Structure formats: structure tokens, C-alpha cells
Amino acid sequence: MRVLASLLLVVSLPFALAVKTQDFKTCEQAAFCRRGRALSSRAQEATSWRSPYSVDSSTIAISPQWASFTAAVKSALYPQVKFGLDVRVHDDGVVRVRMDEVDGLRKRYDEAASWALIAEPGISRDIKWKIGEHDVRAVYGPKQDFEVVVTFEPLKVVLLRNGKEQVALNGEGLLHMEHFRTKESIEQTPPAEGDDEQVVMQVNPRAWFEGETEDGFWEEKFGSWTDAKPKGPESLSLDITFPNHGHVYGIPQHATRLSLPTTRGEDAHYSEPYRLYNADVFEYLADSTMSLYGSIPVMHAHSADSTVAIFNAVGSETWIDVAHATPKSTETHWISESGILDVFIMPGPTPADVFGQYARLTGTPALPAHWALAYHQCRWNYISSDDVRSVQKRFDEEDIPVDVFWLDIEYAEDHKYFIWDKKSFPDPLDMTHDVEALGRKMVVIVDPHLKRTSDYPVYQQANELGLLVKKNDEREYEGWCWSGSSAWVDGFNPASWDWWKTLFKTVQEGESWTWTDSTLDTYIWNDMNEPSVFNGPEISMPRDNIHYGGWEHRDVHNINGMLFHNMTAEALIARTDPPKRPFVLTRSFFAGSQRFGAMWTGDNLGTWEHMAVGVKMVLANNIGGFSFAGSDVGGFFGNPEPEMLVRWYQVGAFSPFFRAHAHIDTKRREPYLLDEPYKSMIRSILRLRYSMLPVWYTAFRETSVTGIPVLRPHYVVFPQDEAGFAIDEQFFVGSSGLLVKPVVQKDVTEMEVYLAEDQVYYDYFSYDVYRGAAQGKNVTVPAELHQTPLLIRGGSIIPTRERPRRSSPLMKFDPFTLRVALDINGGARGELYLDDGETFSHQGGQFVWREFTAEKNGKGVRISSRDLAARKPAEAVDGVQLATYSGASDFAKSMEPVRVERLVVLGLAAQPKSVALAGGEELEWVFEAGVAATETGGSASLLVIKDPGTSVASDWEIVVHV
């Protein structure tokens, strides 16, 4: 009976918790957030306010070699408590500010940055600090236009550009690092009866700053849970102000607008701060500051003058208030439960500069396997080997492309991950080989909770090796999740990483258990890694659980999920020699997670509201450095009507990660099950995505080198156009020039698209011409159900592969079409990047990177292909400085037979007189008269050059005489 009750608990708990916001804390229910917000309120209500923290100028020690200095910081509230300040300027101008308690009763958690950063940043040797009477400052930058000033009393750190404040730390005086202390019990003995002795009231001299009471210092209750807080209070409050920037973006993950709405001040949009606390939020709200599955504590601030950003390297729960004292300024207040102050100020001054600065800190997104950018078909759950085969067969019968089939938790016997349920999946290797025969892949879920049972070798090994998370009494932590009674691998233990790698070997090595019922084309999905614990506080671990090194879970909570993702990616790389690129999808993430794979936006609903906010959430993740992102197509919950499903596929086709997924209780909704015309619409959408895989792969090459995101909101592309700073329903795909505005509302037949410049744009499908304006302009484009509002920016060249195939690997040697969209000056440019799509051989120069240009040639145009890698070898591959590059590499030679079979030139002024290869023969072509690039209204003129006989891997020129 007890076993039955336990199973019922596991099955019913998540659903019982669905959409219950009361199961997650508000700021008022989190004592440290309550204290931080109360501090802010006191500051706002005070007639005068001065931070109690100051720099002891007599202790300043400037490095003789580096642009760094240290100093002691004093608190007027606690003169006996010592703090240390460390300020340094990196080689690229990023300013790092660290403050920690010195010689305290305990050590504060200071390792968050070490997990996020790719390496310890280099400190400038050229920048010099100058100590003044009231501050220490340094001027730097190519134009000497940046200055960082550290004011002594009160402590304040300001970054200026051209004398204008960009970022200020503690400018509002809300800095407060709660020091470690011992719990004091003050017994107040009442006076004896009849005692005339006067009772002296004690006045708390710190109440003006900290408040009258010790609010939740030593114990805190939430629901049935009590957090004993054995270390006492240790929170960190910090105000970060952007005095000349009226828009802020980032701090994913939240279901909200891209330009973050306010949480404090007059007419605040939200009443709650933005929360960063990785949580398994079932059926989350579509407009909320609630924490979701991942946390990236990076915020961009933008104005027409500049872009700046900060990265707050903290791994504990954090709440962030946003306010605007004026429309041109932003005030933010960050309140964290624990950790040191470790803030990186990125000076910009352009969006591209900021992305590069952040990428040099935490890394660029990994270049994914090519197939991973294609279409993924998932469901909780495909129930058997035969079910998987049947789904694949139906896709092929209906000529619908797909690359990846996914298996959720029901593949595993009793939810013991890695262990196949042989009743439903009696032949996992044969099933996987059947999928692989058509160039496809399998993705299988592996969650971090391990079933605590003696017949599960993965748990047994982890237990014997001492690799599991512990309770505060040092015993193994037991919680409940899909597996029932479960334990969790401690990714903070270095030994767990080496052990985890052994599990994924597909060939037995030694006596330890390995996953021999797997293949090298089986990839991994990490879910529930926040971590999700069904019977834990806020559906997660108790905060006083203990990780390797003695750190409490509260210190590292937001980092935890990234480590599981990282471990799994490393394991997939290690299972082959030479290694293949891994694919690991994660639900939980932190700063730096972009280096390891993809993410999705979690358990969304099949509603128009969730479809719309999913676009904004994916954009926010791109701003946060994590480009490989997407939302579940169709929504995880619910049964979307055909119109909604078609629109959702259109959204998915223009998301970096493109997966359809559905809950176990939903109706089957694979594309082939729809009636006409919806089935054909989705088939066309998927074929469009496959034709554009060269665009997506080329965009990922760029982001893997520069950090500039794959999806680019308006302010990134047009940073001086104030009318577009809040636009988050349309975006550009990389540098391709493709501008898309997905339809996320019902019964839409046309859409308005904002064009920010005096430039021509072409409808991707009809070639209709639209013209923007220097002051910005809205244009109306058709958006019937079968139509996706998709424009090509004039001046772009779009490489595509137009032949329908069943999977993307079958397209490897297919020819290319180039769409040449002339701008108003008669020119255009585009790029194409190719490599083998699955190994790391590109790091040794095995790739093709071409630049296509169209240049005005009299009244005609000259179209050419050049080897971009030969000109920019150091910019071709992330993290690799190619000393030499050969356009005759083995891979380049393998691409020589791949030809450009068609060029489509839009916007020529008149019919050509001839079209020929430079110095060669006349080519076959057709021309349709239409609107020139300099004109408006109607369809563009269309020149189609047929099979010019040019290789995609070679230099060539085509001359169009008009």
C-alpha cells in the first residue's frame, strides 16, 4: 500500500501543482528580498540618504603592472567588520568590480564567475589608475573616451563615456553586504514588581538603514518547509543605475516583453521584482516576472547614444527591480540571497561591442551540428519501438522532412534513465539504426534524478563513489521525482564529471556499466535540472543541502542546471575519437550555458498568448548570449486548433531551435495528421526551413565567433532608431538581411512591418517591393494563413537549397540558389559557410566560407564569389587563430562539384543586354520587367540566371550588362 501511495504521489504531484503561483515565493515571502526592498523604500522616503560604505584611501594598493587596485572598505554600521574591494580593467575595456567580506566568520560563496567564465580575463597593462583626494580613476579606450571613477566616500563606481555617466554602482546608496554573525539571544528581564528603577529604551543606531527588526535572519518558513538558515543572514543588495539609458533588456528567463517593463515607481507595470531562481514552473503565466527554468544575470541598457551592459556573477536566488526616474534613465536594484559582489561592466559602446565583450567573458554559442538546426519531432511519449518506426514511416509517406525523433521519460524502465523498458522498446539498437538509415538522429531524455534502487547501476555507482548531493547532516539527500525515491548527482564534485563520461560509452570498457544499448547518433535531452524535486520547497531542493566543497545549495542553485548540461555535453564529446559535436538540450541554464548546446522555454501552453511571448523569450535569450533557443511548437499543453498550429510552425521555422513537442494527455498532432489545407501548409513551412538551413548555419558560424546573436531585435540592427527600441515582435536572422514578423494572433490576413531606414525591402515569396523611410515607416504586408511575413532587406544575398529532401544530411551535395536583392545603390552582399556539419575538423581549416557580392557595373551589375576565409583566417572559427588557410582543403575539394544552379536578381533597372561569366560564355537567363530597387510599388524586376556552371567553393564573376 505504501508503494502504491508513493507512486500516486509521483504521478499526481506535478499536475496538482499546475499554475499554482502560491507554490512559489513572492518577494514578500522571501525574507532577504523583503529586507532589500524595505531598504530601498527607506532610501526613497528619507529626506537625505548616504551609503554607509566607504573606501579607506590609505589602503589603496595599485598593481605596478596591471590596471587593477585593491582597497579596504569600511561600513559605518559595523566598523569592526572588514570588506575588501578589487577593481580591474580588462584588455577589452570591461571593468570588473569585486567586493567580499574579509576575515569573516565564514567564507562567502565566490565561485560563480569561475563556472561562467571561459578563462580568467586578461587585465590591461596600459591603463593607469590615478589616486586623487576623493577618488581613484582611470581613462582609457582608443579615443580615451572612457573613464572609470571609484569615489571613496561613499563608495561609488561609475563608468563614463565622453564625460557622460553610463553605469553607476551604489549611486543610490543601496549597497548592503550582510556580514556573517553569530546568533544572539537577548533576554529582557522585566523589572520586579514595585521596582521604581527607570527602564532605559535601547535605540538601534542602524535602524535607519537596516530596519528595526532582524527580519528572517535565522529561520524562514514557506508552506510546510522551514529553512533553518544555519549561516544566518548573508544577502547582498546593490543598485545599478543607467542614468542615460531608457531601455533595459536581458536577465532571462521571464515571460515578458523584451524591453523590460518597470516593477517600481509610478505606474509600474508589475508589482513584483524579476526573480532569478531556476524553477520547474508548470504551465507558467504568459506575462509575469516569476522565475522560470533558467537564469542569466546579464542586463543590457540602450539609448540612441550607446549600449552598455552588466554581468552580475551571482549563483544564488536574485530579485531585480526596474524603474525609470525619467524616460531617459533606468534604475535597477539587485537583491541576492548570498555570494560576493562580482560585477562586470561592459562599456560597449555599440550592441556588437557589448556582445563581443560578454562573449569574451562567458564564451560564444557553440557551433551546433548542422542537423540540429533542422526539424525535431518530439512527444511525451512515443510509446514503443514500433511507434517510432510508424511515425518515421508516416513522415516519409507524406514527404514531410524531419531530422530528429525524440523519446521522453517513458522509454526508461521505471524511469531509470539509460535503462530501456524492454517491454515497449525490445530492440532499441535496431530501432535507432532504422532511424539513422535515412540520415536521422535520436534524442533521448536523461534527467539528473537517479532512482534509489539496488538494481540501477547508475545510482549504485554514484552512491559508491560518493558523488551524490547531501543533506545538511551529510547524509545522502532523498527527494521525489519521476523516478520515485531519487538522489541527485553533484556536478560541483570534479570526480562526477569523469564518471559521467564513462556512462555514455557505446562500447564496454572495463567492468563498469556503460550504455551499450545506445549509438553514436543518439543525443541527449537534459530536463528537470533546475533541479526539480516534486516534494521539495518550491518544487526544488532544500537550500541547506550540501554540495561538494561544503557550499549550501542556496549558494549555487542557479548554476546547478548548467553543470549537468555541461557534463553531458562533455560526455558526448568524449565517447568518440575523433570527437563529434554534441547535441544536448537543457531546460535549466546560467551564464555560459550557450557553450554547451540548446535550450527551450519549457512547459508552455497551446495558446496565442504563449506563442507570442515565446518569441519575446527567445529574443531575450539571444540578448543573454544564448542563441540556440526555441519554444515548443504547438505548446506543450493543450490541443491547438489547426490555424494556431500552422502559425506556431511558422514561429518555429524562424527560431534557432525548432522542435514540436506535446504533453502525454494531448491529442496526437504530428503534421501528417492534419487535414488539408493545413497539412500542406506545414509541409511548405518545413521545406522553407530546410531550404534556409544554409542561412541558419552561416548565422551560427557568425555568432560562434563574434557573440552577436542569431536572432537580432530591432535595436541591435538599428541602434539609433528610438522608435524601434521596444520592438520585439519582428527580428532579423543573423546578418542575412531576412526580416521576419511571425503572426501570433488569430484571424490575421495582413500585418504591419516596421522599416527603419530609407531602403528597399522585398517580399521573400512574391518579390513585392516595400520602401522604408529615414524616420521609420510601417508597411502593410499580406499574412494569410499560408503566408509568413518575411522580407529581404535590400543589399542582401540569400543562399538556399531548394530541393526537397527527407532529412538535412541528404542535402549535403545539393546545388544552391542565390537570391540577390539589390539595394537602392545597386549593390548586395551575403555569406555562406559550410563544413562537414558534425565534427570539429573546421577548427583545422576544413571548411568553406564564401562572400558573395553584387556591385554596380555601369547600369548593370557584377556578381562575384570570393574566398572569405583566405582574407580573414583569424575570424573564421571561434577560439582558433588559423595561421594559414588553404582553399584547397579536403573539405573544400569535396564541395567543388556542388554548384550554384540558379541566381535570382531582384531590382534591376532594366532588362539586361547580356549575362555572361567574366571572360567567358553567355549564360542562359530570363527577365521579367518590374520595379527597380530605386522605385516603389508593385513587384520587383526579376532576372533568373540558370545554371551558370559555377562551383559554390570557387571564385567566379558573372557580369550583367544593361
Side-chain angles (χ1 to χ4, degrees):
M1 187 69 183
R2 181 177 298 172
V3 173
L4 177 60
S6 298
L7 290 173
L8 288 173
L9 173 67
V10 172
V11 171
S12 65
L13 247 172
F15 301 94
L17 294 173
V19 300
K20 288 188 177 180
T21 56
Q22 64 267 29
D23 286 309
F24 300 93
K25 288 183 179 180
T26 63
C27 178
E28 187 63 23
Q29 293 169 313
F32 77 92
C33 184
R34 193 165 62 237
R35 297 196 299 269
R37 259 198 161 184
L39 168 63
S40 175
S41 295
R42 286 190 291 273
Q44 292 174 3
E45 294 165 2
T47 54
S48 64
W49 185 265
R50 184 180 177 87
S51 171
Y53 293 89
S54 61
V55 175
D56 183 349
S57 59
S58 68
T59 66
I60 294 175
I62 297 178
S63 168
Q65 293 180 306
W66 313 101
S68 66
F69 77 86
T70 60
V73 172
K74 301 178 293 184
S75 168
L77 302 177
Y78 299 94
Q80 76 281 11
V81 178
K82 294 184 286 186
F83 301 94
L85 180 70
D86 182 335
V87 183
R88 53 188 65 183
V89 184
H90 298 169
D91 289 327
D92 63 355
V94 170
V95 179
R96 185 178 189 180
V97 181
R98 300 175 86 239
M99 185 174 126
D100 194 1
E101 190 174 347
V102 178
D103 299 329
L105 292 177
R106 298 180 180 86
K107 181 177 173 58
R108 301 180 75 94
Y109 184 69
D110 61 356
E111 298 176 5
S114 67
W115 291 110
L117 302 183
I118 53 175
E120 189 64 25
I123 306 173
S124 172
R125 289 177 177 268
D126 302 323
I127 301 169
K128 305 299 180 185
W129 292 98
K130 293 183 179 180
I131 302 177
E133 183 179 355
H134 303 292
D135 56 46
V136 56
R137 59 182 62 207
V139 177
Y140 66 96
K143 300 178 182 178
Q144 296 293 290
D145 51 348
F146 289 108
E147 184 177 24
V148 58
V149 180
V150 182
T151 304
F152 297 153
E153 191 169 356
L155 168 61
K156 177 181 177 182
V157 181
V158 177
L159 176 74
L160 303 98
R161 176 171 172 262
N162 294 323
K164 198 174 186 179
E165 285 195 7
Q166 305 291 294
V167 185
L169 308 186
N170 200 34
E172 303 293 320
L174 303 183
L175 170 65
H176 190 32
M177 182 174 281
E178 293 180 331
H179 66 280
F180 288 120
R181 64 200 77 189
T182 57
K183 186 174 182 180
E184 298 174 355
S185 177
I186 302 175
E187 296 183 4
Q188 296 187 1
T189 305
E193 187 175 345
D195 192 340
D196 294 332
E197 182 177 346
Q198 182 179 1
V199 177
V200 178
M201 298 296 294
Q202 292 187 347
V203 177
N204 180 357
R206 308 182 187 102
W208 69 273
F209 192 80
E210 291 189 318
E212 293 286 355
T213 61
E214 294 185 349
D215 181 10
F217 275 23
W218 302 101
E219 184 178 272
E220 186 171 356
K221 295 183 182 294
F222 181 70
S224 62
W225 290 91
T226 299
D227 182 358
K229 294 189 176 180
K231 296 187 295 181
E234 54 176 317
S235 73
L236 174 66
S237 162
L238 176 66
D239 61 274
I240 304 176
T241 305
F242 307 97
N244 292 289
H245 298 79
H247 290 266
V248 289
Y249 315 93
I251 57 170
Q253 185 184 40
H254 299 98
T256 188
R257 301 198 297 262
L258 181 66
S259 180
L260 295 170
T262 54
T263 62
R264 299 215 82 170
E266 190 175 351
D267 299 323
H269 184 78
Y270 297 117
S271 59
E272 283 289 303
Y274 296 95
R275 190 187 189 197
L276 294 178
Y277 186 74
N278 297 352
D280 182 0
V281 183
F282 206 67
E283 295 183 332
Y284 56 84
L285 300 173
D287 182 14
S288 174
T289 60
M290 282 183 67
S291 59
L292 292 176
Y293 311 95
S295 299
I296 302 179
V298 63
M299 177 179 284
H300 290 218
H302 184 71
S303 70
D305 183 60
S306 67
T307 309
V308 295
I310 64 96
F311 167 43
N312 187 5
V314 61
S316 64
E317 178 187 3
T318 298
W319 299 76
I320 306 156
D321 268 317
V322 175
H324 299 297
T326 72
K328 299 292 185 180
S329 66
T330 306
E331 300 76 42
T332 70
H333 183 200
W334 300 61
I335 312 165
S336 300
E337 185 173 18
S338 67
I340 67 168
L341 188 158
D342 195 357
V343 174
F344 298 80
I345 304 173
M346 289 162 273
T350 69
D353 291 329
V354 167
F355 290 123
Q357 289 153 4
Y358 182 68
R360 284 187 287 276
L361 292 172
T362 67
T364 60
L367 181 63
H370 185 275
W371 58 263
L373 300 180
Y375 174 62
H376 300 245
Q377 181 64 50
C378 185
R379 179 176 178 81
W380 178 25
N381 203 91
Y382 292 120
I383 60 174
S384 67
S385 299
D386 288 340
D387 193 8
V388 172
R389 291 185 176 100
S390 174
V391 171
Q392 173 165 258
K393 183 172 182 287
R394 288 297 306 276
F395 267 91
D396 290 339
E397 287 174 346
E398 298 289 348
D399 290 326
I400 300 174
V402 61
D403 265 57
V404 194
F405 295 111
W406 291 55
L407 292 177
D408 211 318
I409 58 176
E410 308 306 333
Y411 84 91
E413 178 187 85
D414 296 329
H415 299 146
K416 294 179 289 188
Y417 304 108
F418 301 99
I419 309 299
W420 293 91
D421 182 345
K422 290 300 180 75
K423 293 179 181 178
S424 300
F425 295 89
D427 56 348
L429 289 178
D430 289 342
M431 173 198 70
T432 305
H433 290 323
D434 288 344
V435 169
E436 294 168 352
L438 293 170
R440 295 181 176 129
K441 309 293 187 290
M442 292 291 302
V443 170
V444 175
I445 199 167
V446 175
D447 285 349
H449 48 272
L450 305 181
K451 188 174 183 67
R452 301 174 74 248
T453 179
S454 60
D455 64 349
Y456 185 24
V458 178
Y459 167 72
Q460 285 299 316
Q461 288 182 22
N463 183 36
E464 292 168 5
L465 294 170
L467 303 178
L468 299 172
V469 176
K470 296 178 173 57
K471 298 192 296 183
N472 59 6
D473 60 6
E474 295 295 326
R475 291 185 298 168
E476 180 183 304
Y477 171 66
E478 176 191 10
W480 286 79
C481 206
W482 296 120
S483 302
S485 175
S486 302
W488 277 258
V489 177
D490 186 2
F492 293 90
N493 187 335
S496 68
W497 292 54
D498 290 335
W499 167 75
W500 193 247
K501 290 177 183 177
T502 67
L503 301 180
F504 290 84
K505 298 288 187 179
T506 59
V507 177
Q508 187 73 38
E509 297 179 1
E511 297 182 0
S512 295
W513 184 92
T514 62
W515 199 15
T516 55
D517 276 347
S518 180
T519 74
L520 299 181
D521 280 327
T522 300
Y523 296 86
I524 304 300
W525 171 16
N526 288 159
D527 197 0
M528 315 296 284
N529 50 330
E530 292 78 23
S532 175
V533 182
F534 290 162
N535 65 334
E538 298 193 89
I539 319 180
S540 195
M541 277 187 186
R543 297 176 189 232
D544 57 357
N545 273 8
I546 302 299
H547 290 272
Y548 179 84
W551 298 112
E552 285 190 314
H553 185 71
R554 80 180 75 246
D555 299 317
V556 300
H557 176 86
N558 286 345
I559 305 170
N560 183 84
M562 176 177 74
L563 299 196
F564 191 60
H565 187 206
N566 190 347
M567 290 166 59
T568 306
E570 294 275 342
L572 295 192
I573 292 172
R575 69 182 176 180
T576 59
D577 186 16
K580 296 171 69 175
R581 286 177 235 171
F583 174 83
V584 185
L585 180 73
T586 185
R587 189 170 72 175
S588 185
F589 52 88
F590 185 66
S593 287
Q594 69 272 10
R595 306 193 299 266
F596 314 122
M599 61 75 61
W600 92 107
T601 62
D603 297 343
N604 57 351
L605 279 69
T607 66
W608 293 102
E609 293 79 9
H610 272 80
M611 187 194 308
V613 80
V615 173
K616 306 173 196 298
M617 292 169 71
V618 171
L619 286 175
N621 260 77
N622 273 253
I623 296 305
F626 204 161
S627 281
F628 202 2
S631 296
D632 280 342
V633 168
F636 182 58
F637 298 101
N639 297 297
E641 60 182 338
E643 178 190 356
M644 182 189 296
L645 198 56
V646 170
R647 292 300 193 193
W648 217 313
Y649 269 89
Q650 292 170 353
V651 169
F654 288 95
S655 299
F657 176 58
F658 185 12
R659 181 183 76 156
H661 186 37
H663 188 273
I664 196 170
D665 291 332
T666 63
K667 297 176 182 178
R668 287 281 181 111
R669 50 170 123 111
E670 288 76 13
Y672 53 74
L673 294 175
L674 273 70
D675 294 331
E676 295 292 358
Y678 308 108
K679 177 167 60 178
S680 292
M681 289 179 184
I682 292 180
R683 180 191 295 113
S684 297
I685 294 165
L686 288 169
R687 287 181 174 178
L688 176 66
R689 170 66 172 220
Y690 275 69
S691 72
M692 289 186 168
L693 286 176
V695 173
W696 288 99
Y697 200 56
T698 300
F700 265 95
R701 185 220 65 84
E702 183 180 4
T703 196
S704 75
V705 174
T706 68
I708 303 174
V710 168
L711 295 193
R712 301 178 185 177
H714 185 89
Y715 88 90
V716 173
V717 181
F718 299 102
Q720 295 181 316
D721 179 29
E722 295 192 29
F725 291 172
I727 290 178
D728 55 11
E729 67 275 2
Q730 65 181 54
F731 51 85
F732 288 87
V733 178
S735 297
S736 68
L738 290 174
L739 172 61
V740 62
K741 185 171 185 177
V743 177
V744 293
Q745 294 174 316
K746 186 177 175 59
D747 296 330
V748 170
T749 59
E750 60 183 25
M751 293 281 283
E752 282 198 342
V753 177
Y754 178 74
L755 304 181
E757 58 184 334
D758 184 14
Q759 184 58 268
V760 61
Y761 284 73
Y762 304 87
D763 185 289
Y764 184 86
F765 306 100
S766 68
Y767 303 140
D768 284 350
V769 170
Y770 301 92
R771 184 69 173 266
Q775 298 78 28
K777 179 182 177 181
N778 286 308
V779 298
T780 302
V781 302
E784 297 283 353
L785 185 55
H786 67 283
Q787 296 171 312
T788 302
L790 176 62
L791 303 180
I792 310 174
R793 185 183 184 188
S796 307
I797 299 179
I798 311 294
T800 60
R801 280 174 153 157
E802 302 290 338
R803 298 189 180 182
R805 300 289 187 185
R806 289 185 286 185
S807 66
S808 67
L810 304 180
M811 304 171 72
K812 183 174 182 179
F813 297 103
D814 281 355
F816 282 84
T817 291
L818 300 181
R819 284 175 175 80
V820 182
L822 299 177
D823 63 18
I824 57 176
N825 297 313
R829 184 190 179 279
E831 294 182 15
L832 173 66
Y833 175 79
L834 302 169
D835 60 26
D836 70 11
E838 56 182 2
T839 74
F840 293 92
S841 64
H842 62 292
Q843 295 179 351
Q846 298 291 325
F847 59 85
V848 169
W849 184 24
R850 308 297 300 182
E851 178 184 42
F852 305 114
T853 59
E855 299 168 304
K856 196 168 184 180
N857 184 38
K859 293 184 179 180
V861 65
R862 181 183 296 266
I863 305 168
S864 62
S865 170
R866 299 184 184 92
D867 189 343
L868 199 51
R871 291 159 48 203
K872 300 181 178 181
E875 301 175 30
V877 181
D878 174 41
V880 177
Q881 294 287 330
L882 294 176
T884 60
Y885 168 79
S886 172
S889 67
D890 289 343
F891 179 77
K893 289 177 180 177
S894 73
M895 290 292 103
E896 285 178 359
V898 178
R899 70 188 197 282
V900 177
E901 70 171 350
R902 191 170 64 138
L903 288 89
V904 177
V905 183
L906 305 175
L908 275 176
Q911 179 169 327
K913 296 176 181 177
S914 70
V915 178
L917 285 168
E921 60 188 41
E922 181 77 9
L923 300 174
E924 183 181 354
W925 55 274
V926 295
F927 180 80
E928 294 181 18
V931 175
T934 55
E935 301 170 348
T936 58
S939 294
S941 66
L942 178 65
L943 169 65
V944 178
I945 305 171
K946 301 180 179 181
D947 201 3
T950 55
S951 168
V952 75
S954 301
D955 290 356
W956 46 261
E957 285 190 354
I958 294 174
V959 181
V960 179
H961 289 291
V962 175

